[in-house]
Amino acid sequence: MAHQKRTLDSMSMPPALLGLALLLAGVSGCAKLVGIEDTRVTRDDESAGRGGSTPGSAGTPSAGTSNAGQGNGGASLGRAAASAGGSSAGGSSAGGSSGAGSSGAGSSGAGSSGAGSSGAGSGGVTSQAGNAGSAGASECPCSAPKPTCENGKCVVRGPTMAKATSYYVDSTEVSKAQYGLFLAAKANGSDTSGQLAECSWNQSYLPDGPAVGDARPIVNVDWCDAAAYCAWADKRLCGAIGGGALGQADLNNPDKGQMYSACAGPDNERYPYGGFSLEPDYCNEYFSGSMADVGKFAKCEGHYAGIFDLVGNAAEWIDSCDTAGGADHSVDNCQLGGGSFINDMYTCQTYFDSPRNDHANVFGFRCCSK
């Protein structure tokens, strides 16, 4: 769907509507949306809104199942436009499902705010009226841990984000249910516009294998599918701290790699729960028999609180590839970290590579902040 730019003809507009148009134009710099139709994959930090919008339009909900207290992102509902007299009423806003002690928050109207309930997998909903005579406030542009701007509100798509050092990491692997929302927003995976040049060959985001819809990690996706999802969530595929792809020489450098730093910490520990000794059953480990729901293993927590499953369960694509794939880069070798439940090695130092266009029933991912 092409993004339509709209203009206002002030010469043919009634005075009351002209006043409203000028009011909305005054907040247009903050009311831009990261919309479905104008999302593109980039390695640059463009956290400000990328696409224009009509204020008051409904945002795309980002909701899903929640596990082990790890919420799957809040839905942001459209707010009512101000009346010609200048008063505004705040629309309702749904807070994100809370996890790891955090709560979803939603502001509504001018100067009024409502916080979502906190607790294991609960979501708060609040609705309050704005003060008469004031314009509806906007929080955008946005940044982690609520990186996505929808209808002038900062929300999160996909897993909640937890703080590592100077950046944020998805609290869990992206689930099948969360990936399903992305597919629905992208014409069932057929809208692949705006990808990186390395992914020009990728014609569908549909995963190979069973239909999506549950709380297990999304798997059977290739590197380009993962990168596109993270861009849609206004995050990025985990790579180098500070931005960009991670050089393969820096895979185990806690000062350089986002995923490795979150897992091993500054002391290069072998396991995310700390230290160098394997603790049986802390994570979904070698030959457990099945993939587990995201966040199910509460003891499999990263070096920084609130980050789960950095080893075991699903192996995770990261932004670290070579250039062996020729002109279209489809078979560049890209790294996956953390091993999986079928690997006999699944430490913070565990990596293996696979072609950029490859997929398998243990290949998943999570996103990091820009």
Side-chain angles (χ1 to χ4, degrees):
M1 178 172 61
H3 182 70
Q4 299 295 321
K5 181 179 288 186
R6 299 181 181 181
T7 59
L8 297 172
D9 184 354
S10 61
M11 298 302 294
S12 60
M13 188 175 296
L17 292 181
L18 176 59
L20 175 57
L22 293 175
L23 173 64
L24 295 178
V27 299
S28 63
C30 288
K32 293 182 179 180
L33 308 189
V34 178
I36 302 306
E37 69 278 7
D38 52 52
T39 302
R40 62 188 179 88
V41 184
T42 176
R43 291 199 178 96
D44 297 326
D45 186 357
E46 298 179 5
S47 57
R50 298 190 185 98
S53 70
T54 303
S57 60
T60 301
S62 178
T65 58
S66 86
N67 293 275
Q70 299 306 303
N72 290 309
S76 177
L77 306 180
R79 60 176 64 197
S83 69
S87 63
S88 66
S92 62
S93 175
S97 299
S98 61
S102 64
S103 61
S107 297
S108 52
S112 299
S113 64
S117 303
S118 63
S122 63
V125 179
T126 181
S127 176
Q128 297 187 19
N131 297 325
S134 59
S138 174
E139 294 179 354
C140 301
C142 303
S143 59
K146 291 185 177 182
T148 311
C149 179
E150 289 181 351
N151 292 330
K153 298 297 300 175
C154 295
V155 299
V156 62
R157 284 175 175 163
T160 56
M161 304 196 83
K163 184 73 178 289
T165 55
S166 59
Y167 62 97
Y168 287 80
V169 183
D170 278 354
S171 56
T172 66
E173 300 137 325
V174 173
S175 74
K176 291 187 174 185
Q178 291 162 345
Y179 194 81
L181 293 176
F182 164 67
L183 291 178
K186 291 292 189 179
N188 196 33
S190 64
D191 176 10
T192 57
S193 59
Q195 295 187 91
L196 292 169
E198 297 95 318
C199 298
S200 59
W201 49 267
N202 191 31
Q203 299 301 308
S204 175
Y205 296 139
L206 281 174
D208 188 46
V212 300
D214 60 39
R216 292 171 295 170
I218 182 65
V219 291
N220 281 307
V221 290
D222 60 45
W223 187 96
C224 292
D225 299 336
Y229 176 95
C230 291
W232 171 77
D234 211 28
K235 306 173 187 179
R236 69 185 183 98
L237 196 60
C238 297
I241 296 174
L246 179 67
Q248 296 189 16
D250 294 322
L251 286 171
N252 290 337
N253 187 333
D255 297 322
K256 298 292 184 64
Q258 287 181 318
M259 184 172 174
Y260 183 74
S261 174
C263 186
D267 295 327
N268 295 287
E269 294 170 314
R270 284 178 62 80
Y271 298 98
Y273 41 77
F276 300 87
S277 299
L278 171 65
E279 297 290 346
D281 302 322
Y282 269 39
C283 300
N284 191 24
E285 58 188 45
Y286 182 40
F287 287 135
S288 69
S290 63
M291 191 78 72
D293 289 356
V294 298
K296 179 179 180 179
F297 286 78
K299 293 181 179 179
C300 194
E301 189 171 15
H303 185 84
Y304 301 96
I307 308 171
F308 297 86
D309 301 325
L310 286 166
V311 300
N313 217 27
E316 300 180 28
W317 287 112
I318 61 173
D319 189 1
S320 182
C321 305
D322 65 20
T323 57
D328 72 353
H329 297 281
S330 61
V331 291
D332 289 348
N333 295 302
C334 300
Q335 298 292 322
L336 296 108
S340 71
F341 78 95
I342 66 170
N343 296 113
D344 57 359
M345 287 292 293
Y346 56 97
T347 69
C348 296
Q349 290 78 21
T350 300
Y351 295 92
F352 63 92
D353 60 57
S354 193
R356 196 188 296 269
N357 65 359
D358 200 7
H359 50 78
N361 62 3
V362 293
F363 288 8
F365 68 97
R366 76 181 67 214
C367 309
C368 289
S369 62
K370 297 178 177 179

